[in-house]
Amino acid sequence: MTWHFDHMAFNAPDGQPIQDAFNALLGLTPGRRPPFPFPGRWLYQDGQALVHVIEQAALDEAALSHIAFRTDEDAAVVLKRVQGSGLPYQVAQVPEDGVWQIFVQMPSGVVLELDAKSGA
């Protein structure tokens, strides 16, 4: 199973300061974001959304939410591997994109998002 870096995500009370910083430092610009039921923004370079910002007004400051990797393996195969690991996880889907998001709680406290498409 081959993995590729997909994006990192931040939880923030306001996404504008993060957007401004990534634009100034790396030249990332805002772009398309699927219609998730919560506010946020995606920042792109060359057609790839490298930074996701999840806006949560109740927060005091921004914090890393998760780091995401993607694979061409079928989502069911990835899920079986995650289940075999014994690590806690949650599954979601990207609206309109058919991508499974498997959020795995790592022993270090970092959350990994493993993205894969369903073959079904």
Side-chain angles (χ1 to χ4, degrees):
M1 190 172 298
T2 301
W3 293 97
H4 304 277
F5 173 79
D6 193 78
H7 68 272
M8 68 174 82
F10 294 88
N11 293 329
D14 176 8
Q16 193 64 51
I18 291 174
Q19 178 177 317
D20 292 346
F22 274 102
N23 179 264
L25 292 170
L26 303 179
L28 302 187
T29 56
R32 180 193 171 276
R33 180 177 176 267
F36 289 107
F38 49 85
R41 56 188 77 201
W42 285 10
L43 307 177
Y44 283 76
Q45 177 183 318
D46 299 330
Q48 172 71 35
L50 297 177
V51 175
H52 297 179
V53 181
I54 302 158
E55 295 176 337
Q56 299 173 332
L59 295 176
D60 291 329
E61 59 185 38
L64 180 66
S65 168
H66 61 268
I67 301 169
F69 295 88
R70 62 182 152 65
T71 184
D72 290 332
E73 291 289 334
D74 188 85
V77 172
V78 176
L79 182 58
K80 187 172 184 172
R81 180 178 230 175
V82 168
Q83 290 168 332
S85 76
L87 295 168
Y89 68 92
Q90 295 180 332
V91 178
Q93 286 191 300
V94 177
E96 300 177 354
D97 286 355
V99 173
W100 286 27
Q101 301 169 297
I102 305 168
F103 294 92
V104 182
Q105 183 70 48
M106 300 297 285
S108 64
V110 171
V111 174
L112 290 184
E113 175 186 327
L114 306 178
D115 294 344
K117 290 191 175 187
S118 174

